[in-house]
Amino acid sequence: MKKLIKSSKWARRIKWSILTGTILIFAVIVCANYAVRHTAKAFIYQNIDSIPQNKAGLLLGTSKLLRSGLPNQYFQNRIQATVDLYKAGKIEVVVISGDNSRKGYNEPEDMKSELMLRGIPEDKIYLDYAGFRTLDSVVRIEKIFGQKSFTIISQKFHNQRAIYIAHAKGLQVVGYNAEDVNAYSGFKTQLREKFARVKLFLDLWTGKNPKFLGEPVIIQ
């Protein structure tokens, strides 16, 4: 009988621990999400006519194709947003920051090719092959490319996080929102974003730095 009572008490403790942990995790996610959205709100632009002009646009990389082999709409929409900014005279050059960590996968080169096909001259495009994470991309455009004020180009949810990082690093940035994808296609991405925002605060708190830096690149 005593063993049953003791076992029951342990079961209740485990249940309360799980419940408490779940509530805590949920609260942290909600707070992180609110802080990022609130901070970025005044620096996010949908209207190309109202966005301030900057010398450089930071185009955040993503894969050209999905795992299924189908076109990645995040990719296509970011390309179009960048072309629109350039043709409207809102940016003069584009720094493409993305992943090139494995053979046969090159986000910056893929994006460069698409931009050139749509009319942006090659000499107006700079490539950052070590933009493995959003934090890396934001820090490297200052440390490597010398830009303290620039326009971030991605979907709204991504721009919000990038802007928060940039402001935490003392940079002056705005974000131009590329068109998003539909809710069904973007569900997994949106879910990952919630946890990415929590990790953002851990990275800033621990002073996380980019995986690589390197020699400066002069933007003409």
Side-chain angles (χ1 to χ4, degrees):
M1 187 68 178
K2 288 183 178 180
K3 288 183 178 180
L4 287 174
I5 294 173
K6 188 174 182 180
S7 177
S8 178
K9 286 182 178 180
W10 273 108
R12 285 198 298 270
R13 287 179 183 177
I14 292 172
K15 287 180 181 179
W16 275 109
S17 296
I18 293 172
L19 179 61
T20 302
T22 302
I23 293 172
L24 180 60
I25 291 170
F26 180 76
V28 169
I29 291 173
V30 169
C31 290
N33 185 60
Y34 174 79
V36 170
R37 290 177 61 185
H38 181 73
T39 298
K41 185 177 181 180
F43 305 95
I44 291 280
Y45 290 84
Q46 299 272 150
N47 188 331
I48 203 165
D49 294 325
S50 60
I51 190 170
Q53 183 179 9
N54 271 314
K55 182 179 182 67
L58 173 62
L59 173 55
L60 297 176
T62 188
S63 58
K64 184 176 182 177
L65 301 175
L66 302 173
R67 290 183 180 179
S68 63
L70 294 173
N72 180 1
Q73 204 57 49
Y74 285 116
F75 178 98
Q76 294 298 333
N77 292 349
R78 291 181 200 182
I79 292 294
Q80 188 59 54
T82 305
V83 172
D84 291 344
L85 282 172
Y86 180 81
K87 290 186 175 180
K90 296 297 184 174
I91 55 174
E92 299 174 32
V93 299
V94 182
V95 177
I96 306 172
S97 183
D99 190 352
N100 177 220
S101 60
R102 61 185 187 272
K103 188 176 181 180
Y105 185 80
N106 196 324
E107 292 176 356
E109 289 287 356
D110 287 342
M111 287 186 145
K112 176 184 177 181
S113 296
E114 288 291 326
L115 291 178
M116 290 176 63
L117 284 174
R118 301 194 196 191
I120 297 184
E122 185 174 13
D123 64 353
K124 299 297 183 181
I125 302 172
Y126 295 80
L127 303 183
D128 174 15
Y129 296 104
F132 304 121
R133 302 185 310 146
T134 305
L135 183 144
D136 294 35
S137 298
V138 170
V139 172
R140 284 176 56 82
I141 193 172
E142 180 200 7
K143 301 297 185 184
I144 304 300
F145 296 90
Q147 304 301 302
K148 293 182 178 293
S149 177
F150 50 92
T151 300
I152 301 171
I153 308 162
S154 189
Q155 277 69 31
K156 183 177 180 179
F157 69 88
H158 198 187
N159 279 340
Q160 289 172 336
R161 178 158 50 94
I163 287 170
Y164 192 96
I165 294 170
H167 285 194
K169 299 293 183 180
L171 304 175
Q172 298 176 336
V173 304
V174 293
Y176 183 64
N177 295 338
E179 185 178 348
D180 212 334
V181 305
N182 63 61
Y184 177 78
S185 299
F187 176 75
K188 289 183 179 179
T189 300
Q190 292 290 343
L191 183 61
R192 286 197 301 269
E193 178 65 19
K194 303 303 181 188
F195 293 96
R197 293 184 178 192
V198 174
K199 190 174 187 304
L200 150 67
F201 286 94
L202 292 175
D203 287 342
L204 293 175
W205 182 59
T206 58
K208 189 78 172 180
N209 290 313
K211 187 173 182 180
F212 298 111
L213 286 176
E215 296 297 320
V217 175
I218 305 300
I219 290 182
Q220 301 298 327

Short mmCIF file of all heavy atoms in Angstrom, two decimals, residues 1-12:
data_model
loop_
_atom_site.label_atom_id
_atom_site.label_comp_id
_atom_site.label_asym_id
_atom_site.label_seq_id
_atom_site.Cartn_x
_atom_site.Cartn_y
_atom_site.Cartn_z
N MET A 1 0.82 -1.21 0.00
CA MET A 1 0.00 0.00 0.00
C MET A 1 0.86 1.26 0.00
O MET A 1 0.61 2.21 -0.73
CB MET A 1 -0.91 -0.01 1.23
CG MET A 1 -1.93 1.13 1.25
SD MET A 1 -3.16 0.94 -0.05
CE MET A 1 -4.18 2.36 0.28
N LYS A 2 1.90 1.27 0.84
CA LYS A 2 2.81 2.41 0.92
C LYS A 2 3.51 2.64 -0.42
O LYS A 2 3.73 3.78 -0.83
CB LYS A 2 3.84 2.20 2.02
CG LYS A 2 3.26 2.30 3.42
CD LYS A 2 4.34 2.14 4.45
CE LYS A 2 3.79 2.29 5.87
NZ LYS A 2 4.85 2.13 6.89
N LYS A 3 3.86 1.52 -1.07
CA LYS A 3 4.53 1.64 -2.37
C LYS A 3 3.61 2.27 -3.41
O LYS A 3 4.03 3.08 -4.23
CB LYS A 3 4.99 0.26 -2.86
CG LYS A 3 6.17 -0.30 -2.09
CD LYS A 3 6.61 -1.62 -2.68
CE LYS A 3 7.83 -2.17 -1.95
NZ LYS A 3 8.27 -3.46 -2.52
N LEU A 4 2.32 1.92 -3.36
CA LEU A 4 1.35 2.48 -4.29
C LEU A 4 1.17 3.98 -4.07
O LEU A 4 1.09 4.76 -5.01
CB LEU A 4 0.00 1.77 -4.14
CG LEU A 4 -0.09 0.34 -4.68
CD1 LEU A 4 -1.43 -0.27 -4.33
CD2 LEU A 4 0.12 0.34 -6.19
N ILE A 5 1.12 4.38 -2.79
CA ILE A 5 0.98 5.80 -2.46
C ILE A 5 2.21 6.58 -2.92
O ILE A 5 2.10 7.66 -3.49
CB ILE A 5 0.78 5.98 -0.94
CG1 ILE A 5 -0.58 5.37 -0.53
CG2 ILE A 5 0.84 7.46 -0.56
CD1 ILE A 5 -0.81 5.35 0.96
N LYS A 6 3.39 6.01 -2.64
CA LYS A 6 4.64 6.66 -3.04
C LYS A 6 4.72 6.78 -4.56
O LYS A 6 5.12 7.81 -5.10
CB LYS A 6 5.83 5.84 -2.52
CG LYS A 6 7.17 6.54 -2.71
CD LYS A 6 8.28 5.76 -2.06
CE LYS A 6 9.61 6.49 -2.21
NZ LYS A 6 10.72 5.72 -1.57
N SER A 7 4.32 5.72 -5.25
CA SER A 7 4.32 5.72 -6.71
C SER A 7 3.36 6.77 -7.25
O SER A 7 3.64 7.47 -8.22
CB SER A 7 3.94 4.34 -7.23
OG SER A 7 3.86 4.33 -8.63
N SER A 8 2.21 6.91 -6.60
CA SER A 8 1.21 7.89 -7.02
C SER A 8 1.73 9.31 -6.84
O SER A 8 1.50 10.18 -7.68
CB SER A 8 -0.06 7.69 -6.21
OG SER A 8 -1.02 8.66 -6.56
N LYS A 9 2.44 9.55 -5.75
CA LYS A 9 3.00 10.88 -5.49
C LYS A 9 4.04 11.24 -6.55
O LYS A 9 4.08 12.36 -7.05
CB LYS A 9 3.64 10.92 -4.11
CG LYS A 9 2.63 10.97 -2.97
CD LYS A 9 3.33 11.05 -1.64
CE LYS A 9 2.34 11.16 -0.48
NZ LYS A 9 3.02 11.24 0.83
N TRP A 10 4.89 10.24 -6.89
CA TRP A 10 5.91 10.49 -7.91
C TRP A 10 5.26 10.77 -9.27
O TRP A 10 5.72 11.62 -10.02
CB TRP A 10 6.85 9.29 -8.02
CG TRP A 10 7.98 9.36 -7.06
CD1 TRP A 10 8.19 8.61 -5.94
CD2 TRP A 10 9.08 10.27 -7.13
NE1 TRP A 10 9.34 8.99 -5.29
CE2 TRP A 10 9.91 10.02 -6.01
CE3 TRP A 10 9.46 11.28 -8.00
CZ2 TRP A 10 11.09 10.71 -5.76
CZ3 TRP A 10 10.63 11.99 -7.77
CH2 TRP A 10 11.42 11.71 -6.65
N ALA A 11 4.18 10.04 -9.56
CA ALA A 11 3.48 10.26 -10.83
C ALA A 11 2.91 11.67 -10.90
O ALA A 11 2.99 12.33 -11.95
CB ALA A 11 2.36 9.23 -10.98
N ARG A 12 2.33 12.13 -9.77
CA ARG A 12 1.78 13.49 -9.74
C ARG A 12 2.89 14.53 -9.89
O ARG A 12 2.70 15.54 -10.57
CB ARG A 12 1.02 13.72 -8.44
CG ARG A 12 -0.35 13.04 -8.39
CD ARG A 12 -1.23 13.64 -7.31
NE ARG A 12 -0.65 13.46 -5.99
CZ ARG A 12 -0.86 12.42 -5.21
NH1 ARG A 12 -1.65 11.43 -5.63
NH2 ARG A 12 -0.32 12.35 -4.00
#
